[in-house]
Amino acid sequence: MKNAPKTKMMDMTCVVCPIGCHLKVTVDENGNFLSVTGNRCPRGEAYAKEEITDPKRVLPTSVKVIGGELPLTSVRTEKAIPKRLIFSAMKVIKSIQVNAPVKRGQIILENILDTGVNVIATRTVKKQNGK
Amino acid sequence: MKVAVIGAGIVGSLIAREFTKYEIDVEVFEKLPDVGWGITKANSGILHAGYDDEPGTLRAKYCAKGNEMYDRLSKDLNFELKRIGSLVLAFSEEELNILKELEKRGKDNGVKGLKILNRIESLEVEPNLSREVISALYAPSAGIIAPWEAAQAAIENAVENGAMLHLSTEIKNISNENNQYVLDTSNGEFQFDMVINAAGLWADDLAEKTGVKVSPLHPRRGEYILLDQPGVVRTVIFPTPSEAGKGILVLPTVHDTVLLGPTSQDLPPTQKESTKTTFDGLSKIVKSAQKLVPAVNISKTIRTFAGLRPENDIKDFVLKREGNMMHVVATRSPGLSSAPAIAKDIVNDMLGDLEIKKRSDFNPHRAPLVKVIEMSDKERENIIAKNPSYGRVICRCNHVTEGEVVDAIRHGARTLDGIKFRTTAMFGRCQGSFCTVKIMKIMKRELGKNYEEIRKNLPNSQIVDGDVR
Amino acid sequence: MKKLKYDVVVLGGGAAGMGAINGALSQNVSVLLIEREASTGGVLNQCIHNGFGVHVFKQELSGPEYHEMYMEKLSRFDAMYETTVLNVDVKSNTLNTISISGVYEIKYGSLVLATGARERPFEALRIPGYRPAGVFTAGLAQHFVNLENRLPGHKAVIVGSGDIGLIMARRLTLEGVEVEGVYEIMPYQGGLTRNIVQCLDDFNIPLHLSTSIVEVHGKDRLEGVTVAKFENGHPVRKTERFVKCDTLVASVGLIPENDLVNETIELSDGSGANVDDLMRTNIYNVFAAGNNVCIHDLVDFAAVEGEIAGKNAAHVAKGKELPERMGILKKGEGVGLLSTKYTIAAEPFKLFVRVKKPMGTTILRLNDQKIKTVLAAKPSEMIEVKMDPSRYNMKGNLILSAMEVDKI
């Protein structure tokens, strides 16, 4: 038997953008990232590395608006947050509300769960009956 | 004098309206939340010419006569009726012989204008027929209506003429004390001098509650497919009838869709609510319909549904009077066509010996419902100037406006189906995916309800449940 | 009846419509938008998930952000909101509208159809059973959750694996609705792989391929569905399983919305408008863009198509002749959808191609010319092909085929 290093190939779909490149990721026996093929841009490599260590996702959802022409504003995390924190983050987001008017880009919640990532409004909600 | 009509299907509705022509108090009891939601809601909607029914049956007695009465009714009550005619197709000499029998029977039943067409004539009337057709029986007096619209209109007119309507009110028991009928209902007790049992599929059970035996009913399920393929046929297309009934048809509806069906499946009496469609039934419809009209394009399906017809062993209507109670049982096909004639006869019979005056102030007319899409530009401009909500289109498939939805609510709609079956919003190809929210918003505002209180149709048919935030 | 006249009239203010307004405004013509809803944005308003704008804005936005940011790019234009077009007469170049302000007859120099798509409703599938409340198209469920603050129910089954269905599987899960699974009748997914990963895999929601619903239970409100395995479009006996649920979300296809013009505009077998690479239809001054041409994966492409349509519509409105059509594109082996029907090819253009079934390494050919190789081709993922007239012949009959050269 040859004493070749034990590597493992993993199939993965890059979700950085909607193109969805099919990645073939090679990891060593301890699961450490070695290489990736199939990515059309450098973000694919970064994604594969991160997906193997601590996968991250942008969280899109909504927050209750008080006195707005809509009952909700849509929000998202400004950057991706660790996937394992998604449900804890939802719990925090569910507990907050914001007064109308809401401006797109407005920070709704700073530094959610100490991730260093803000939750921002992704739509403008005017006050009920006018501005 | 007080009369109760049990059941607000097409039969009960027309009977109730007929009674309101007299100086008599009329109350209608319907166990469902709206008018015309039983048998009336899910059938082919055909006014049959009347050549099918064997002489001597009540069907033969009432069908052609009732059919004819719809002309007047549709004018007075302002519901749509289209006399589009029907064709019974023959694909063999054997079937042609049956057509000849039907033609003769029709003439005996007083059906006007019947004619046997040859192959070329048949294809001229209906270019999309199967090329295998050899002949067809043409009946110009066959028509189509939306049966629920007729029932709604009749009840509304009855109510305008003083009748009282009890919806969501089920009859638990009926007893007779001192020549008074006591109706024990889910909404309390009521007393009447006269009772009409027009309870559709439950008419036999109700008769039994008063100790009257009638030929028992079982449901015969008819499944349908509704297509968005306007123009594929212009008349009602039947196969040659067989022992099993009139067969699976292809016909246009008054709303410019196309209906395929019904199947004909006898169910046990315990399944009087089994309005589900089945894999076998729907497959059969496709096969049978395409045999008549190969151009039927099943990918244009809007929806499928099933209705139940009240069938008995003698295959005929039963009108049975016991004291001052009349049981109208087994109004199977052609029950819809026959209903106006039945209603007239029953009221005459019930009031015959009594000296009850006709009301001088009876108003036979129900005001037409506004249909903006059917108006001219000038009419549209005028009505929008008076009420801008007639300019806001809510339903993009059938172009129903906000004003029409509000009208439907004012005419008694309390559920999404109530609005659907009055306006045709949600009836179209999108099946409500665009307009449901808009309609619910109007219902919230007009009825002072919240989203959770709005129902699709039946009491537990809630649409949404709870806040996201 | 009030009368108006505009150089370019745009029907529909979604992504393609906004693009068309942008394209037309760049040519200094008068522009009127006619929009059914109370504002622009179309379905973007309820698509609160991220993933929009990678091409146009070079960042990943939510639908509402995309809408607002695109609107900020536009200079002034006229618009009629909550206005429905009742008919279009391409002979007299007029259309009739209705709104709370009354009825209008509007004369256009050019017309851009940007009417988008509608969802195929569950009812159209002819699935047996009852018809209770609790059955939603994915878009309707999304509208309730994201705009009306209402939950459709508490235990959901998703039928069809189209993108909106997958997005709703995640959305409902995040809001505490139990999503039992996604059922897809085909042996492959309907939506983007990216959505399978982030919407299903991330939340351990199973995707059942070759499986669909065979019966709906519940007379008032949905009580459950029976699912079964499917082979060649037919349910397999004895594979039935009852799934308890109170909510059914259908994501079973989008249909290009061309009902207003289906008697005048040439449509494809998928009911999309047949256009050339300048987005012109068979009528010289009627253009089309976005999902009413073909169903796109990315909103960016709908917007870009709109820009092309709007710009060329403006040219025609100003009396400029567009170059003539040179060729006709036809679906060859392995191809399910082509975004463009006719080639003018005065300049390079983008063609979008969907394959019929999943394939491994696939070569796309234009007649016998090799034009692109993709590592994996899936019907759910549009392939973008740059059509360059300096490289390929684009005259006459052009058959575009997709051939698998290596399995996945």
Side-chain angles (χ1 to χ4, degrees):
Chain A
M1 294 291 280
K2 274 191 208 162
N3 210 359
K6 281 181 190 158
T7 60
K8 216 171 86 183
M9 283 275 269
M10 291 170 73
D11 280 311
M12 201 180 273
T13 304
C14 177
V15 302
V16 171
C17 83
I19 292 169
C21 292
H22 303 272
L23 310 181
K24 287 200 182 296
V25 187
T26 313
V27 294
D28 69 15
E29 52 198 308
N30 301 319
N32 295 315
F33 176 85
L34 291 175
S35 65
V36 61
T37 56
N39 51 314
R40 280 171 239 200
C41 77
R43 289 184 300 169
E45 185 176 335
Y47 172 79
K49 275 184 192 162
E50 191 176 89
E51 200 65 7
I52 282 170
T53 49
D54 190 11
K56 292 192 174 70
R57 298 286 185 267
V58 169
L59 173 62
T61 182
S62 54
V63 163
K64 187 167 190 169
V65 176
I66 307 298
E69 58 176 10
L70 289 170
L72 302 170
T73 180
S74 51
V75 301
R76 64 175 167 89
T77 55
E78 226 170 349
K79 292 184 215 137
I81 60 168
K83 194 169 104 178
R84 61 193 152 79
L85 294 179
I86 293 271
F87 280 100
S88 321
M90 278 304 294
K91 216 168 162 184
V92 176
I93 290 170
K94 281 179 189 184
S95 70
I96 56 176
Q97 52 191 40
V98 57
N99 290 315
V102 179
K103 237 183 117 253
R104 170 174 51 85
Q106 177 182 330
I107 295 171
I108 300 294
L109 189 67
E110 270 180 45
N111 185 20
I112 186 164
L113 300 171
D114 287 323
T115 52
V117 176
N118 298 330
V119 174
I120 57 163
T122 62
R123 77 173 293 158
T124 301
V125 181
K126 290 180 189 157
K127 270 191 176 175
Q128 208 167 14
N129 310 321
K131 231 180 135 44
Chain B
M1 178 68 76
K2 278 182 77 178
V3 62
V5 178
I6 300 167
I10 186 67
V11 176
S13 304
L14 289 172
I15 291 172
R17 175 176 182 265
E18 196 61 30
F19 271 121
T20 58
K21 293 178 180 172
Y22 297 86
E23 296 203 332
I24 184 169
D25 292 331
V26 184
E27 297 191 29
V28 183
F29 294 85
E30 169 57 53
K31 85 170 178 173
L32 291 169
D34 210 336
V35 173
W37 273 11
I39 306 159
T40 304
K41 188 164 97 169
N43 62 72
S44 309
I46 298 171
L47 304 182
H48 292 282
Y51 48 75
D52 275 301
D53 310 301
E54 302 83 357
T57 59
L58 288 178
R59 289 184 283 129
K61 178 179 174 187
Y62 287 118
C63 183
K65 207 165 134 195
N67 178 333
E68 217 175 309
M69 290 168 74
Y70 271 101
D71 282 324
R72 178 69 189 272
L73 274 174
S74 84
K75 280 195 190 82
D76 282 350
L77 297 176
N78 275 300
F79 61 86
E80 188 124 38
L81 158 61
K82 288 182 181 164
R83 293 274 176 208
I84 57 173
S86 67
L87 290 176
V88 186
L89 307 190
F91 290 94
S92 66
E93 288 300 321
E94 239 167 48
E95 291 187 342
L96 177 56
N97 288 335
I98 299 175
L99 295 196
K100 286 175 182 162
E101 274 172 48
L102 291 179
E103 186 191 25
K104 186 181 171 300
R105 196 188 291 166
K107 282 178 179 158
D108 292 344
N109 289 349
V111 181
K112 289 165 199 159
L114 284 177
K115 197 183 162 198
I116 291 194
L117 307 182
N118 65 27
R119 181 185 139 81
I120 301 293
E121 290 167 329
S122 309
L123 288 165
E124 267 169 30
V125 175
E126 212 44 275
N128 285 331
L129 288 186
S130 163
R131 301 275 140 176
E132 309 285 312
V133 71
I134 63 162
S135 180
L137 174 65
Y138 179 59
S141 62
I144 49 169
I145 64 170
W148 57 90
E149 286 178 6
Q152 288 158 4
I155 284 287
E156 264 182 50
N157 183 239
V159 169
E160 277 165 37
N161 283 303
M164 195 189 258
L165 174 64
H166 305 269
L167 291 172
S168 304
T169 306
E170 190 172 354
I171 309 298
K172 291 179 179 163
N173 207 3
I174 302 181
S175 52
N176 191 336
E177 291 162 26
N178 312 321
N179 288 327
Q180 286 278 300
Y181 291 93
V182 179
L183 269 52
D184 178 15
T185 81
S186 54
N187 281 321
E189 262 189 24
F190 300 84
Q191 285 198 11
F192 294 93
D193 302 298
M194 256 179 213
V195 178
I196 310 296
N197 165 14
L201 279 161
W202 283 269
D204 59 339
D205 299 341
L206 200 63
E208 196 147 319
K209 279 182 180 155
T210 68
V212 174
K213 276 264 175 219
V214 293
S215 175
L217 295 177
H218 68 268
R220 176 173 282 183
R221 185 161 59 205
E223 299 177 37
Y224 292 91
I225 299 175
L226 188 66
L227 294 186
D228 181 24
Q229 199 184 4
V232 71
V233 292
R234 301 183 289 217
T235 54
V236 181
I237 313 293
F238 293 92
T240 299
S242 68
E243 277 300 295
K246 294 187 180 88
I248 287 168
L249 337 171
V250 180
L251 71 147
T253 70
V254 289
H255 303 123
D256 283 334
T257 51
V258 171
L259 197 57
L260 315 178
T263 53
S264 190
Q265 188 187 0
D266 286 308
L267 301 178
T270 49
Q271 292 189 27
K272 288 182 177 177
E273 292 185 340
S274 185
T275 53
K276 64 177 185 182
T277 55
T278 64
F279 187 79
D280 290 345
L282 298 174
S283 311
K284 194 176 166 192
I285 293 172
V286 175
K287 221 174 121 197
S288 309
Q290 286 179 337
K291 188 180 172 235
L292 302 178
V293 183
V296 157
N297 181 355
I298 210 66
S299 75
K300 299 276 185 185
T301 299
I302 295 175
R303 72 184 283 116
T304 65
F305 61 93
L308 300 169
R309 289 109 74 183
E311 194 58 74
N312 62 6
D313 292 339
I314 58 169
K315 296 182 190 302
D316 199 7
F317 312 149
V318 173
L319 305 180
K320 189 163 187 174
R321 182 169 175 176
E322 199 71 46
N324 276 334
M325 185 158 176
M326 175 69 91
H327 303 281
V328 191
V329 192
T331 42
R332 64 189 297 283
S333 177
L336 173 67
S337 319
S338 308
I342 293 174
K344 190 140 201 109
D345 259 19
I346 284 176
V347 171
N348 282 343
D349 182 71
M350 298 303 284
L351 302 181
D353 321 334
L354 309 164
E355 291 191 354
I356 295 178
K357 273 196 260 173
K358 277 213 163 186
R359 283 177 49 172
S360 55
D361 60 347
F362 174 75
N363 173 13
H365 300 290
R366 183 196 62 148
L369 294 172
V370 171
K371 296 231 181 278
V372 176
I373 190 65
E374 288 167 15
M375 291 179 165
S376 68
D377 283 331
K378 189 84 216 146
E379 289 170 316
R380 286 176 188 152
E381 211 155 48
N382 289 340
I383 199 162
I384 294 168
K386 273 185 229 145
N387 180 351
S389 72
Y390 286 119
R392 191 180 277 124
V393 173
I394 295 296
C395 153
R396 60 172 77 170
C397 300
N398 292 332
H399 291 120
V400 177
T401 64
E402 178 176 7
E404 290 159 68
V405 174
V406 172
D407 287 348
I409 294 169
R410 302 207 170 134
H411 283 263
R414 291 292 176 272
T415 59
L416 281 176
D417 272 5
I419 286 168
K420 173 177 168 178
F421 284 90
R422 283 174 178 82
T423 64
T424 75
M426 302 173 279
F427 234 131
R429 64 187 80 84
C430 95
Q431 287 288 290
S433 60
F434 287 113
C435 59
T436 299
V437 175
K438 290 180 181 174
I439 291 169
M440 286 173 75
K441 275 188 179 162
I442 299 169
M443 290 173 81
K444 273 172 65 181
R445 183 188 73 208
E446 295 291 314
L447 297 167
K449 284 184 175 179
N450 62 39
Y451 276 133
E452 274 66 22
E453 289 169 318
I454 294 171
R455 296 289 176 269
K456 178 174 189 276
N457 41 40
L458 300 173
N460 295 317
S461 62
Q462 193 172 338
I463 311 292
V464 288
D465 190 28
D467 293 321
V468 173
R469 290 285 172 272
Chain C
M1 186 158 54
K2 288 152 258 188
K3 295 192 177 186
L4 292 170
K5 201 178 162 195
Y6 282 86
D7 293 329
V8 175
V9 173
V10 177
L11 301 191
M18 292 193 299
I21 295 166
N22 195 18
L25 289 175
S26 72
Q27 305 303 308
N28 294 316
V29 291
S30 62
V31 179
L32 174 70
L33 166 70
I34 304 177
E35 166 57 49
R36 261 194 279 242
E37 301 298 324
S39 75
T40 48
V43 81
L44 285 169
N45 289 313
Q46 67 184 58
C47 292
I48 69 167
H49 53 281
N50 55 308
F52 301 96
V54 179
H55 294 252
V56 171
F57 293 104
K58 311 291 176 216
Q59 50 180 316
E60 262 202 78
L61 304 167
S62 73
E65 283 174 299
Y66 190 102
H67 166 222
E68 289 187 22
M69 286 170 69
Y70 204 104
M71 285 300 285
E72 285 163 12
K73 280 173 54 159
L74 301 180
S75 51
R76 276 183 69 103
F77 62 94
D78 286 348
M80 296 168 78
Y81 293 106
E82 290 190 278
T83 300
T84 294
V85 178
L86 292 177
N87 63 287
V88 176
D89 181 1
V90 296
K91 289 203 178 78
S92 62
N93 300 326
T94 55
L95 51 88
N96 294 86
T97 68
I98 183 167
S99 70
I100 57 170
S101 331
V103 294
Y104 283 82
E105 185 187 278
I106 297 162
K107 200 165 175 74
Y108 57 81
S110 294
L111 183 65
V112 181
L113 305 167
T115 42
R118 61 190 164 84
E119 295 176 277
R120 175 175 288 116
F122 178 78
E123 289 80 353
L125 303 181
R126 297 188 304 282
I127 290 173
Y130 287 101
R131 297 290 167 262
V135 179
F136 302 83
T137 59
L140 178 58
Q142 190 179 45
H143 191 144
F144 273 123
V145 174
N146 292 346
L147 295 177
E148 301 301 321
N149 194 24
R150 302 325 302 154
L151 285 174
H154 304 287
K155 184 167 180 182
V157 157
I158 316 269
V159 58
S161 58
D163 285 312
I164 328 168
L166 302 176
I167 295 287
M168 281 314 290
R170 172 178 64 181
R171 186 77 196 102
L172 292 172
T173 305
L174 288 175
E175 298 306 339
V177 177
E178 185 192 338
V179 177
E180 195 273 344
V182 177
Y183 294 85
E184 170 58 59
I185 194 166
M186 301 302 283
Y188 48 84
Q189 73 209 39
L192 298 170
T193 303
R194 160 190 162 87
N195 286 333
I196 302 282
V197 174
Q198 347 182 67
C199 298
L200 302 188
D201 298 351
D202 277 3
F203 299 94
N204 300 315
I205 299 168
L207 169 62
H208 304 274
L209 295 174
S210 298
T211 310
S212 194
I213 297 173
V214 291
E215 188 168 355
V216 177
H217 304 273
K219 209 161 156 63
D220 291 27
R221 174 82 194 195
L222 183 68
E223 287 165 9
V225 292
T226 302
V227 297
K229 281 270 176 197
F230 274 70
E231 266 169 25
N232 306 318
H234 295 285
V236 181
R237 273 170 189 278
K238 306 229 164 109
T239 61
E240 295 93 349
R241 177 166 64 88
F242 178 78
V243 180
K244 197 170 149 68
C245 60
D246 64 6
T247 302
L248 181 60
V249 175
S251 177
V252 291
L254 296 171
I255 301 165
E257 178 76 298
N258 284 305
D259 290 320
L260 195 57
V261 291
N262 60 12
E263 278 164 20
T264 43
I265 299 296
E266 183 191 305
L267 302 180
S268 70
D269 49 8
S271 90
N274 281 341
V275 292
D276 56 37
D277 53 73
L278 300 181
M279 307 313 293
R280 180 150 74 170
T281 69
N282 54 309
I283 308 287
Y284 85 101
N285 62 346
V286 179
F287 295 74
N291 277 356
N292 47 309
V293 171
C294 73
I295 305 302
H296 290 74
D297 293 345
L298 299 188
V299 73
D300 281 335
F301 294 151
V304 169
E305 269 186 14
E307 287 166 12
I308 296 168
K311 188 176 143 195
N312 289 297
H315 287 326
V316 169
K318 288 199 291 191
K320 190 177 154 189
E321 292 270 325
L322 298 184
E324 264 181 62
R325 290 175 174 180
M326 308 300 288
I328 173 164
L329 277 161
K330 289 178 177 167
K331 290 183 282 186
E333 196 191 321
V335 171
L337 180 87
L338 295 173
S339 60
T340 307
K341 176 85 181 174
Y342 302 102
T343 58
I344 292 172
E347 282 171 48
F349 68 95
K350 262 184 203 166
L351 174 71
F352 298 105
V353 181
R354 272 188 212 282
V355 291
K356 265 188 183 153
K357 58 176 202 318
M359 294 190 278
T361 304
T362 300
I363 295 177
L364 298 186
R365 283 193 179 86
L366 187 65
N367 290 342
D368 49 8
Q369 287 172 281
K370 199 160 139 183
I371 54 170
K372 185 160 186 155
T373 306
V374 284
L375 294 175
K378 290 180 183 172
S380 58
E381 315 205 351
M382 262 185 167
I383 304 166
E384 189 185 330
V385 185
K386 198 170 173 200
M387 300 285 273
D388 186 344
S390 66
R391 294 182 60 191
Y392 315 121
N393 169 36
M394 281 193 226
K395 289 180 187 161
N397 276 330
L398 303 165
I399 296 172
L400 201 130
S401 59
M403 216 212 283
E404 186 175 42
V405 291
D406 194 7
K407 296 265 177 219
I408 301 166

